[in-house]
Every structure is written in structure tokens, then in C-alpha cells.
Amino acid sequence: MRYGKKYSRLLFCLMVLGIVVTSCSRHEVRFHIGVSQCSDDEWRHQMNNEMLREALFYDGVEVEIRTVKDDNARQAEDIRHFIEAGVDLLIVAPNEAEPITPVVEEAYNRGIPVIVVDRRILSEKYTAYVGADNYEIGKAIGKYVSNMLHGKGTVVEIAGLAGSTPAIDRHEGFMSVISACPDIRLLAKEDGAWLRSRAEERMDTLLDRFPEIDVVYAQNDRMAAGAYAAAMRRKREKEMRFVGTDAIPGEGYGVEQVLSGELDATFIYPTGGDRVMQIAMDILNRRDFPRETILNTSVVDRDNALIMKMQTAHISSLDEKIETLNGKINQYLARYATQQVVLYGSLLVLLLVVGLLVAVYLSLRTKNRLNRELSLRKEQLEQQRDQLEQQKDQLERLSRELEAATHAKLVFFTNVSHDFRTPLTLIADPVDQLLADRSISEQSHQLLELMKKNVHILLRLVNQILDFRKVENGRMELHLEPFDLLNSFEGWNDSFRVALLKKHIAFSFEPASGVDYRMLADAEKMERIYFNLLSNAVKYTQENGKIVVRLEAEDRHFRLSVFNSGSYISTTDVEAIFERFYQVGGHQAGTGIGLALVRAFVEMHGGNIMAHSNEKGTTFTVTLPKRDVSQYHPAVPTLPADEEDIASTLVDADIPTGEGMTEDDCPTVLVIDDNADIRHYVKALLSKEYRVLDAADGAAGIRLAMKYVPDVIISDVMMPGMDGLECCRRLKGELQTCHIPVILLTACSLDEQRIQGYDGGADSYISKPFNSQLLLSRIRNLITNHRQLKQFFGDSQSIEKESISELDKDFVTRFKALVGEKMKDPELNVEDLGRDMGMSRVQLYRKLKSLTNYSPNELLRQMRLKKAASLLAASDMTIAEVAYEVGFSSPSYFTKCYKEQFGESPTDFLKRKG
């Protein structure tokens, strides 16, 4: 620990030394000045050079110049860059006054001193202004032109950028003199934008328009040179005189143009860069300074141009000497700084070497300590590895036990499915016999037809489950025989014609012509493949939709595609749609094994299947390999499975709607279901006791309910458009219908859907297939007790919505809390509950029966089952643990009660939960 502290101190000293060396070798900047120039021309270059030269006379001044080419947006960006960089002072030559004023004000408001040069802004928010008085320059030029013309003649003016203040002021000053001379006429004023090329173009236009021009006045020398070039190209330069502005020295600039005879005169527009930097330093050093500095002007003509050129050349020579001396001084300072860096660097290297030796010594000590710690850690890891191996063995054993248990469950599931076949067959046969009896009534005949069709559906589902089990066990056999795809598909299409006509679906079967579709295949499995695909297409195609079946041949394969419109399957669902027990969206009827069987049968034939879906619809594509029928070797025939015609599930029995009862005192029941068979069946079932109304969808059902106010409403859950859940919510939200009990019929046993229904105000749930006596009993009960608490632990309506007293509400609440507290006790009975509630057993029974229509034991069992369903859904507890947790003494009795309450066993729920 002592060595570590010394090492830390040494490193700290080295860091301090490095900072000292670095700070000594770095040039200290006291003031950062930002310059934003509006354009890039020789006049601006001269100003920039003057500012940079003047800055050399001050220590620690850094000048950053940014120039744009007459672009307001870019200049605003440059100024904001300087603001964000935190410059100490800002110098701005605005391109145009109006666009640049806001950003200059922003800098000024943030406390940055601003010097506006050359051109003004439309605000007083600046620190100082340096520049010539453009209005006075314009007046001076006007007087010069007036004297040149002796008070009589014609003039054209080529102005600068229209929005810039120099262009505006120079024109106004010029016109203040010219307008006072009635015999001097301004023929035209053109915008040259301060550019030679633009001025040359404008001069060409002026020469076309005006045959006689005495004087051309340009607001800068570049535009004057452009105008002169245009006139010379037309050989008219001798007819007129040219006057410019700026008088910049140097080859090709204003003074040289006067000496060469291109210009008759130019007026000095002083740059004042040195004066700008002097005022800037006065501001930064908090000295007094003038807020307005107006630079003087003077004419440059042939009389004084040569003298000015000579003076300028002398000044330039002196500037070059100054720059040379400054360069040498910088070299000396750089050499001195380098020597300092080398000296301090050598000292730092020496200290680093010493520190490195100390660090090596300390690291060796640390290494030895870490080696000892690693050895200890290694021993601990070896012990943990042994523990992990033991846990691995336990997990493998548990996995084998779980696999065995799962296998046992599947065997039980298969055995139960086998047991279904006998009673279904015993049901189907008597139904066929009754249908053959012509003495039965038409209504009875229709009911028997409905029974027969649904028995066939159950047989098909049971057979499908058994086939799926065979596929899972690898016991499904493939019986190949000569098979004609085209003839078989065309024959099977007839089985769907009734269903297609009912939904007005446009169906087309499009086989490729000139192809021999004979192959070796298992005819029974091919039938299952085709019927499953086409059944799904019919099921999920809306009315007036479209189904297209295509049969094509390739070199080695046959391809079958089934397209149906109006259904879209998401990418996630498409990827999983062939998995067993998978259902799209979780709302569609079915077992979820149909497509899994299709894929299994296709793969048994050596083919593959895939699905594709978009906004137009869904397409299933099956690819089957060609097998030459000449390779067929007949096998010993086996007995076919009991497969029923799948198309029968698509044909609805046509049961006419009964008239019902019409007495005013007869209770009214409204049946809402999109399935005509269900409506007709329920209507026939209720018509003896009730007046029955029916509707084919939720919207029509709401309209009938609002009009007739029935006593009970029976609604299916799964309907196109408005489903039963939404229909129930709307009925419970209307004053006229909120009191009507609603029974929801569903083929789905998911608790989530039941919860949604009860949240929407449903009074009861009955699962399909339902018992007719159960439905009648439930309706009678709801009509008799519709103002009492029905299904106290099933629905989501609160006690406050029921017309019962506050005492009854308090009684129900206390009973519920008491049961929740003592639920885990398997010995809990009615006597105990009555004692805790302050009542006898008989008093408690009668009270609960009058309020809830349930006995205490029934309520206790329902609460236990509800709690069990919640634990199964939200925890990882086993079925036995859940049974004991909610107070059941026997898991088997718990399973029986759970299935009676929810329509499925706890095992089925856990499988579905996943």
C-alpha cells in the first residue's frame, strides 16, 4: 500500500510537469476575433490584409476570417458559427441588410461586441460602425458627372446588389444631385450585383435600348470595367465616358483603369481595415472609441492617378518589409519555443524512465500477489465446475422425465380422440336413419341435416388429430399408386361449388394445357392436401372475393398454387403458419394442425410448401416431384381411414326462420350471429317460449336492440365487421340497452377472450357446442334475475351498477374478502364461512342465493378456480401446486372442476400457453 501511494505521487508530479511544458510551448490567445465578409473581391482582400497586418501589432490576437460569395444564408451560418465558438468580438460586412440584421442582433443580444463595416444593417443593435458615407459618395459622383456634362446630357447607372445598403445610399446621393439638373436625364438604372459579368450583360441591353449615352456611372470599378468592355465590343466606347467607384490600386484595378483610359474617373471607397482593427482593440481593452467612424472619399482622375499609384506602391513596399520582419520574429520565437520544448521534454523523459523503473518494481510485486489470488480462484472454479456437472446431470434427468410425461400426455390425447369416434359414429348412424324416414316434419329434417353435417365435422377433426399423432410418431405410411392430378382436382372442385355460390366467390381452375399430370402419389393424402388448402381459401375469402387455383408442370416437378383474395397474413405469421397448433392472430376457429398436416403430407411425397401474402391476398404453393407411373408396384391394400367429405363442412343447411310468438307479454330474445345455421337453430329452439328476433351482424343487431329493447341478447363473438365483443360494449354503453343481459357464444375457450367480454359488460359466456337445455336455463335465469348480481365472479361489471342496497354490497364485499383470505384451507366449509360472517349456515345460503343465484359452495369453488386460472397463466407452478394453493385436496378433482368451469383441462391450457 505504501509503494502504491509513492507511485501515485510520482505519476501526479509527471502529469503536472507535462502540463507546465505544454502550457509553456503553447501560444496564448487572449482575444478571438471573427470576421464575416459578404463577398470575395479585391476590395475585400485589401480590407482583410489591412486588418491582419494591424493585428500583428497586438499580442495574443487571433483573427478568423470567413468569406461568402454574396450568399445571405451562408453568411448567417458563418455568424452563428462565430457565436457558438464564443468569439470575443465580431466584425460583419453584411451582404444585404434585411436578411443579416436578425443574426447580428442575436450576437449583440448575447453580449458579443459587433462592429459593422462597409454596409449597414436595419437596426441600432451594434457596437460600432466603420465605413464611408455612401450617400455622400453618391453626391460627390453626381456633382462630378454634372460638371463633366456641363449640366446637360444623358446618364445610365449600373448599381450594386439591390438589397445592400451601399447600393441604395449611393443611388440616392447620386440622384439628389442629378435630379436638380433638369437637362441631365437618367436613362436607366440596372442591377449589376457588384459583378463584372453581370454589369457587362446589363450594358449590352442598355446599348440596344439607347443609341446615345453620354456617361456610364457604375457603383464599383468591376462593373465599370464590364460596361466598358461591352461598349468596346460594340465600338461605342469613344461615344461615352465611364465613372467607377473604389479606386483600388494594383494591376487591372480602378487606378490602373484610369491611367489606361478605360475610366474617366473613379472615387476612393476606403477599406479602413486598419481603423477597424484599432477600434476593435479599443473595445476589447475597454478604452473609449467612436461609435460611428465615417471614412472620407476623393476623386481619382487622370490628374492625380499617377501620384496615387506611386504612393500606393511605396506603401505596399513598406507592408512587405513589415511582413518580412514579422516572419523573422516568428521564426526566432518558434526556435526559442522549440528549444524550450526539447529541454523540458528531456527532463520529462528522464523522470519517466525513473517512474518506469519504479512501476516495473511495483508491477512485479503485484504480479506475485495476483498469481496467488488466481491460484485460489482456480480452486474455487474447479469446485463450481463439479457443482455445475452435478446440476447438468439433474437437468438431463428432469428433461428425460419431462419427455416421458409429455409422451404420456400425447398418448392420453390420442386415446381420448379414439374414444370420440365411437359415440360420433353412434350419433351419425341414427341421424342417417332418421333422415331416411319420410314421415318426419320438414323442420325436423332440417335439424337432422344440421346434426349430420356437424357430426361429419367432428369426425374429420378427430381423424385429423389421429393422423397428426401418426405423423408425430413416424407411423404414417405413404401408399403410392398411379394418380392423375388434373382429373382428381377437377372432381374435388365440385364439392366446393355450393360454398362458393353462397359467398359469391369467383372461382377459376387454371391447369397448364398439353401436360400429362399422371404421377405416383398417395390419393388419400393428396385429397387431404387439396381439401385443406381450398377449404382455407373459401373460409378466409370475403363475399364477392376471388379464388384462383393453378396447376403447372416444370422439368421435374408439378406445381399447385391456391390464391385467395381479401386476406393478409403478416410476415411473422407466414413464417410460423405451418407450425403445429399455430393460429393466425389467435382469433380464427380450428385446431391449428391442418396446415401442419398439409406440410407433413407434402414432405412425405418429397415436395415442399410455402406461403406468400400481400395486400392483394394469400397464395399457398405446393411443389411435388414427378414420379413415373411405370415405377408403380402394387402393394397389398390396406383398409382406408374413416375420412369424411371435407366439403360438407362448407355447405350450410337452409333452415327457415320461425315466426315465433307475438304476444306483448312474451319475453323477447335477440339472436346475433353471422352463421345462418346457428341463427335458425337457436330461433327454432326458443320460438316456443319466446319471441325471437335475429340479425346477421353486429350493426344490424344494435339497430334491432335499440328498436325493440329485447329481454335477452345472444351474440356470437367471431363475426365479420363488428365482432361480438364490440357489439356488447356498444349495447352496454347505450341508455336504452345497457340493462339488457348479454350472452356471448364462442368456440374459443381462451381466458383472455372471456376477460375481454366481461370487461365489455357481458353477463354470460357459453361455449360452442352448447347444450340446448343449458342455454334455455341460462336465458330463464337472466330474465328472472336480471337486476341481481349474475355470474358474480365471471363478469367485470361492478357491484355499484346493480340495483341493490349498500348493506348487500358490503355483505358481498366482506364475503369475497373472507374467501380470498381462507381459500388455501381445503377444510373450509359453509359452517366456517357463516360463523365468520356472523350467520348460521342456512342464513348464509339463503342470502348468497338471493343475491348471486349461487350457493356458497358454488361461489367458493368458482373463486378457487378463478384464482387457479390466474396462477396457471401468470406463474410457473405445476398443476398440483396450483390445486393445493387454492384449497383443492386432490389434483384430479381440481382438473375435473377446472374443465367443467372453463371448457378445457389445466394441461390443455398450459400447452396453449406455450
Side-chain angles (χ1 to χ4, degrees), residues 34-38 43-44 47-48 51 75 89-95 100 104 114-121 126-132 134 165-166 269-277 279-280 291-293 295:
V35 180
S36 174
Q37 286 286 11
C38 60
W43 192 88
R44 303 287 169 184
M47 176 187 283
N48 294 341
M51 287 190 291
Q75 187 171 25
L89 183 139
L90 183 62
I91 300 172
V92 179
N95 184 51
I100 304 303
V104 173
V114 180
I115 300 178
V116 179
V117 299
D118 177 27
R119 305 176 184 181
R120 292 186 179 271
I121 61 173
Y126 59 86
T127 308
Y129 170 78
V130 179
N134 285 288
T165 56
Y269 187 58
T271 54
D274 51 353
R275 183 60 182 146
V276 170
M277 189 55 61
I279 293 175
R291 190 168 189 269
E292 300 287 331
T293 302
L295 305 177

Side-chain angles (χ1 to χ4, degrees), residues 58-115:
Y58 303 95
D59 292 332
V61 177
E62 181 180 75
V63 181
E64 180 183 355
I65 300 176
R66 288 195 165 210
T67 302
V68 297
K69 295 184 178 180
D70 306 313
D71 188 330
N72 294 321
R74 283 189 57 194
Q75 187 171 25
E77 291 178 4
D78 286 350
I79 295 174
R80 287 196 175 90
H81 162 77
F82 288 132
I83 294 174
E84 298 301 325
V87 295
D88 299 291
L89 183 139
L90 183 62
I91 300 172
V92 179
N95 184 51
E96 291 185 85
E98 183 176 357
I100 304 303
T101 297
V103 70
V104 173
E105 289 181 336
E106 179 183 346
Y108 184 83
N109 291 333
R110 292 179 64 168
I112 300 175
V114 180
I115 300 178

